[in-house]
Amino acid sequence: MWRPHDLEQTTWRKGPFRARPMGLIFGQTYEDPGIELETFAPRSRVFSIAGAGCTARALATAGHRVTAVDINPAQLAYAEAGDAGRLARMGAAERLLGFGRELARLAGWSRGRLEAFLSLSDCGEQADFWDRELDTARWRLAVDTLLAPRLLSLCYRSPFLRSLPRDFGPRVRQRLRRGWASHSNSRNSFAALLLMGRSLPEPGAAISPIRFVCADAAEFLESCPAGTFEAFSLSNIGDGASPEYLQRLQAAVEHASAPDAVVVSRSFQEPGAGMAGNRAGLDRSLLWGVVDVRPVGIFAGGVPCCTC
């Protein structure tokens, strides 16, 4: 039996950051909607975590019928404003990334070097450029210091912090190196977003209007009729959540899913041994340890095995 306080066991109720609880967290969505676009059947009824609204808009532009849900009123209002064409602005995540870019500049990352790197299209050349020009000892020290648990604890709430690998800095560096060797920089707007802070391009006009709802994801899905959704884009809602909340979310997804529904979920954790189908390397946003794509029946059977 679920109790009301179980809803408090998702870190997103107060937000992952210590400062400005329930303020704007994300001005951009750091996940590649290409994963969802390749996975979801055409014109699916989609449940999406709203976040900055980028994934929801990309799916709606492709013809999916999207319901975008977020527990954070400020974040949902921002996503809805973006759908109306209003300009992007910075959230807490962008301010943290901006600080990281300043450290990189002090470590020798000049604007000219970054522009040259982002203009490359050959993955082999990109990996060589990275190894030769950008992956310096000072850069590695800056990243590993910025993303060390002790420093992150000044910014992040403890439930979210516990969900990150303890060696998060080296893991992020590995993921970036993997991305440069796999995706053409000149055709990857996420590369310019991370390195230069440039906004993602808008996908275009939605074919179907997005429905925006301010609610907890599990609570909302429980209230839906059975079979409401054919696809789920859950972002990294599981990072920082308690096991009890994850069980509730899994049951709610199963309840609200149509036959053959599919779930896409992400995590900053590292994949466990049983995740042969992990698609993190295909996600052009470059940051994720896990991008898990599963039929709902398998998702509802348990949380993807991750190891920190």
Side-chain angles (χ1 to χ4, degrees):
M1 178 178 178
W2 299 107
R3 302 172 301 280
H5 70 263
D6 287 329
L7 285 179
E8 298 294 332
Q9 295 176 338
T10 170
T11 194
W12 303 103
R13 176 164 287 274
K14 294 182 179 179
F17 292 96
R18 291 185 179 275
R20 298 186 65 195
M22 300 309 285
L24 183 64
I25 300 173
F26 305 109
Q28 299 282 331
T29 299
Y30 299 87
E31 55 195 42
D32 181 3
I35 302 293
E36 281 85 347
L37 292 170
E38 291 180 4
T39 301
F40 296 166
R43 300 190 62 81
S44 289
R45 303 188 305 274
V46 178
F47 172 92
S48 175
I49 299 299
C54 305
T55 298
R57 291 197 293 276
L59 292 169
T61 297
H64 296 287
R65 292 158 287 175
V66 180
T67 297
V69 175
D70 207 289
I71 198 171
N72 182 340
Q75 193 68 59
L76 187 81
Y78 177 79
E80 193 165 7
D83 189 50
R86 297 178 189 173
L87 295 176
R89 57 190 178 92
M90 292 178 63
E94 284 72 38
R95 287 189 287 274
L96 183 62
L97 283 169
F99 179 67
R101 292 187 200 101
E102 283 299 309
L103 288 181
R105 184 181 63 81
L106 295 174
W109 282 22
S110 68
R111 184 180 184 87
R113 282 184 176 180
L114 293 179
E115 294 284 8
F117 183 58
L118 291 172
S119 71
L120 297 176
S121 57
D122 181 87
C123 293
E125 290 182 19
Q126 291 170 187
D128 289 342
F129 190 107
W130 175 260
D131 294 340
R132 185 179 67 252
E133 301 287 341
L134 298 176
D135 190 24
T136 64
R138 282 190 295 170
W139 145 254
R140 293 193 294 270
L141 177 63
V143 171
D144 293 353
T145 301
L146 180 64
L147 299 182
R150 180 172 296 180
L151 190 57
L152 286 176
S153 68
L154 300 176
C155 303
Y156 287 95
R157 297 181 187 276
S158 56
F160 186 80
L161 185 61
R162 286 195 297 268
S163 74
L164 301 177
R166 293 198 61 80
D167 56 345
F168 193 40
R171 295 294 187 181
V172 167
R173 292 192 285 104
Q174 291 169 6
R175 293 169 194 177
L176 290 173
R177 177 59 168 73
R178 176 187 66 191
W180 312 136
S182 304
H183 305 288
S184 170
N185 283 351
S186 64
R187 294 190 291 273
N188 184 7
S189 57
F190 290 100
L193 169 64
L194 287 176
L195 298 185
M196 304 289 283
R198 293 174 182 161
S199 296
L200 297 171
E202 285 297 321
I207 294 176
S208 299
I210 301 170
R211 178 191 178 198
F212 291 94
V213 179
C214 187
D216 170 77
E219 187 175 28
F220 174 78
L221 290 170
E222 288 168 345
S223 73
C224 293
T228 297
F229 296 106
E230 296 159 320
F232 298 81
S233 177
L234 298 182
S235 188
N236 65 319
I237 189 174
D239 283 346
S242 68
E244 293 82 7
Y245 181 81
L246 287 175
Q247 290 173 17
R248 180 178 186 178
L249 177 64
Q250 291 160 2
V253 167
E254 187 172 41
H255 159 75
S257 65
D260 302 320
V262 178
V263 180
V264 177
S265 59
R266 292 170 169 82
S267 176
F268 284 121
Q269 298 183 46
E270 284 294 296
M275 293 198 67
N278 179 25
R279 301 189 188 182
L282 301 178
D283 190 306
R284 294 170 299 163
S285 66
L286 310 174
L287 295 176
W288 300 106
V290 173
V291 179
D292 193 44
V293 179
R294 299 184 180 213
V296 164
I298 297 177
F299 171 83
V303 185
C305 179
C306 301
T307 173
C308 295

